Amino acid sequence: MFTNTFTETFGIEHPIVCGGMTAVGTADLISAVANAGALGFLTALTQPTPEALVKEIARCRDLTDKPFGVNLTILPTIQPVPYDEYRDAIVDSGITIVETAGGNPQPHLPAFKAAGVKVIHKAVSVRHALKAQQLGVDAISIDGFECAGHPGEDDVPGLVLIPAAARALSIPIIASGGIATGAGLVAALALGASAVNMGTRFMATTEAPIHDNVKQQIVDNTERDSVIVFREFRNTARVARNSVSEEIVTISRRPGATFDDIAHLASGARGREQVYGNGDVEGGLWWAGQAQGLIHDIGSCEEVVGSIIADARQIISRALPDQLRG
């Protein structure tokens, strides 16, 4: 068993996190992550209303008696999002751990702190992490350039970003991006993190609420099968490589291109329906990181977490000490 500031602060058995994932972070997956001894986050905005989020939290509690949290991602949207109402739904439901991401969490911290909620903030740079620490968050999830989702504009990979953050921060760090194995966990701990966050790895589990075709595609893909999109619009994102994401890249590079030119291809609703729902891996944009190249099977969350912890223990207790002999 690994015990450190992360496991002790958040009351979790293993230093492994499944952060918020749009359309994937539902009770089906997050309860399984919790039952495996890791920390999972329901994705608040996957639920269409705050009332629906309350029901999803209750459904997750029916499936696990272990700790889990809720992700609240704060981003500019075409249609206004009632963030305050989602926050209140989280607090009123008795959730004690929240993951914030996207924009500045400051407007929501007083309410979370008053309710005794511990906050993990996702950051893509040391300067943003320092600001969040100054605001009073309890931990930082630091996203390297390898990660799926939005890695920021600095392009700093985890091998540099994790120790840079560890040197600057005094609160626990969760390493995110390119991690899917026990070796990745050991490396992150050696670099100064207290836990790891995995998204793509948890997508390729039996409990993930996405089509089996997508899970198999993750297994079949290599570390080269992700692509950076939206860079021209200062909203860099890493997604799975397919015909849609490659078309987005081609159109975006044209002189004078705007987001409107690729909006029909980038539609989240299209990705959720055609890819995650119908299993057409070429049917829309979908999220996956470079860790695809490290994922070689589809297992249950219990199997994935158990394997990672066992491999990490073996590396620390046997493989590494063997290199000190002689």
Side-chain angles (χ1 to χ4, degrees):
M1 179 180 292
F2 292 84
T3 301
N4 58 33
T5 55
F6 170 81
T7 59
E8 292 173 348
T9 298
F10 295 95
I12 305 301
E13 183 178 356
H14 303 306
I16 296 175
V17 174
C18 175
M21 292 187 283
T22 301
V24 182
T26 66
D28 312 271
L29 175 61
I30 301 312
S31 63
V33 169
N35 287 331
L39 176 60
F41 287 92
L42 295 174
T43 310
L45 301 189
T46 291
Q47 303 304 318
T49 64
E51 293 76 19
L53 174 60
V54 170
K55 293 179 181 179
E56 191 69 2
I57 291 171
R59 187 165 79 93
C60 198
R61 285 204 174 106
D62 287 340
L63 297 171
T64 184
D65 59 0
K66 294 188 176 182
F68 65 90
V70 176
N71 165 280
L72 184 64
T73 297
I74 307 154
L75 291 171
T77 56
I78 297 174
Q79 298 294 329
V81 174
Y83 288 113
D84 290 358
E85 295 177 27
Y86 276 100
R87 180 200 65 214
D88 292 345
I90 293 168
V91 170
D92 293 345
S93 294
I95 291 294
T96 59
I97 308 172
V98 163
E99 177 190 63
T100 56
N104 189 336
Q106 193 279 328
H108 305 284
L109 290 180
F112 285 141
K113 291 299 181 180
V117 177
K118 290 185 173 65
V119 177
I120 300 171
H121 184 66
K122 295 192 74 172
V124 297
S125 69
V126 175
R127 64 187 185 279
H128 293 154
L130 280 168
K131 178 62 175 178
Q133 176 179 265
Q134 185 181 38
L135 291 173
V137 303
D138 299 279
I140 292 291
S141 183
I142 195 83
D143 279 5
F145 187 53
E146 307 92 335
C147 73
H150 296 278
E153 310 298 323
D154 294 337
D155 300 357
V156 180
L159 197 61
V160 172
L161 187 60
I162 297 164
R167 178 183 175 90
L169 299 171
S170 59
I171 55 179
I173 297 167
I174 302 160
S176 181
I179 299 168
T181 65
L185 171 57
V186 173
L189 295 175
L191 292 171
S194 297
V196 295
N197 174 54
M198 304 188 305
T200 306
R201 171 67 271 199
F202 278 119
M203 289 175 67
T205 57
T206 54
E207 297 94 346
I210 57 178
H211 200 282
D212 286 345
N213 290 356
V214 181
K215 301 175 188 182
Q216 189 58 50
Q217 190 64 53
I218 291 172
V219 171
D220 293 342
N221 280 349
T222 73
E223 69 280 0
R224 298 181 65 248
D225 289 312
S226 70
V227 64
I228 292 294
V229 295
F230 309 151
R231 168 134 292 184
E232 294 79 3
F233 315 118
R234 300 289 296 175
N235 189 28
T236 296
R238 185 180 296 281
V239 299
R241 184 184 299 277
N242 66 4
S243 56
V244 174
S245 58
E246 290 185 330
E247 185 177 357
I248 287 174
V249 170
T250 299
I251 294 173
S252 299
R253 287 175 177 168
R254 294 173 184 168
T258 68
F259 188 81
D260 288 342
D261 297 324
I262 52 95
H264 63 292
L265 297 170
S267 166
R270 173 177 171 173
R272 289 190 293 273
E273 179 181 346
Q274 298 301 322
V275 182
Y276 292 161
N278 296 338
D280 179 4
V281 295
E282 298 291 330
L285 201 68
W286 56 284
W287 306 95
Q290 292 181 330
Q292 289 177 107
L294 305 175
I295 300 169
H296 307 299
D297 56 46
I298 301 165
S300 68
C301 289
E302 183 177 5
E303 291 168 338
V304 168
V305 171
S307 175
I308 287 172
I309 294 297
D311 288 350
R313 288 176 59 89
Q314 192 277 334
I315 291 168
I316 291 173
S317 63
R318 297 182 183 179
L320 291 179
D322 283 348
Q323 298 192 42
L324 295 175
R325 294 177 182 175

